[in-house]
Amino acid sequence: MTTTIGRNDPCPCGSGKKYKKCHGLMQVLSWNDVMAQVHFSHAQRNKIERAFLAANEDFKEHPLAGACHLLSGVFSVVLAELGVSAALKLGVVRRTIDGRDFTHSWIEIDGYVFDVAIQHTLHGEINAPVFAGIDVSNGLPAPFIYGIDREPDEIGLDVLRTPFGKYMDQCPFYEDGGWSIVHRIASKMGLVTDIQTLRSKYSRMKRIPVMYRVQSPVAAHSQFTQAK
């Protein structure tokens, strides 16, 4: 027998919120609706939104499960092409719903998390992308803690050891590596780019490690915004 959940009933996810204020929002809000309500003041917000939506649309068309280090790198280059300053970070993320920890890459702008690649993890988990710390499917703070005090796994450490340009070149899915994805997204946005110019401009881009080491602790906690 199917039980109908009332709008004012407790959400079955266990958040303690009313259904209409939690997962019930997923049925009525579009990503654009949610993003419009997120409190994130930035002079280049329109460009950030444009890049975020374009990167997510490309992910829908060309999904790459577990490719967080690649996709976050691609997103950072697209933002740079728009003149937006963003930090490409790598560390350990904790999913608060079940306490699962995993190595991950993401973007931060003014300390706020923007995460396109969280949508499909190597563990098979499906999540909504994160815009300024907010889950775009429901307008609630994203259920993740970015940068907990743990060292990344060996794959993550290898990514950190690899120069950004070399990492993008080695992407096995396309002849021109990750630069092909940047070029594809940029072209859809009306930006004029070419592979060689992208490689020349961004091969030295830095990926920032967010981790804790006894010898040299690094502050690793991102800020989250609240939807209006």
Side-chain angles (χ1 to χ4, degrees), residues 43-60:
Q44 296 175 299
R45 174 166 174 149
N46 287 341
K47 290 182 178 180
I48 296 168
E49 287 188 3
R50 183 181 170 203
F52 182 83
L53 290 171
N56 276 290
E57 187 61 32
D58 191 77
F59 182 87
K60 289 180 183 179

Side-chain angles (χ1 to χ4, degrees), residues 124-200:
E125 297 154 346
I126 306 298
N127 308 289
V130 177
F131 180 86
I134 297 299
D135 181 320
V136 300
S137 71
N138 56 26
L140 301 173
F144 304 102
I145 300 173
Y146 286 82
I148 66 169
D149 292 348
R150 281 189 54 189
E151 188 173 86
D153 60 22
E154 188 54 41
I155 293 175
L157 292 174
D158 186 59
V159 172
L160 288 172
R161 288 190 289 262
T162 304
F164 182 77
K166 182 177 180 180
Y167 181 82
M168 291 287 280
D169 286 341
Q170 291 177 341
C171 167
F173 307 109
Y174 301 97
E175 181 179 352
D176 288 305
W179 309 110
S180 296
I181 307 176
V182 176
H183 178 67
R184 183 174 67 214
I185 295 173
S187 297
K188 291 179 180 178
M189 296 172 66
L191 302 176
V192 179
T193 64
D194 66 80
I195 301 296
Q196 288 305 119
T197 300
L198 289 170
R199 183 180 283 116
S200 176

Side-chain angles (χ1 to χ4, degrees), residues 69 88-92 103-106 152 156 159-160 207-210:
H69 306 309
L88 172 59
K89 298 197 172 184
L90 186 153
V92 177
T103 299
H104 190 60
S105 283
W106 66 92
V159 172
L160 288 172
R207 195 183 299 266
I208 303 170
V210 182

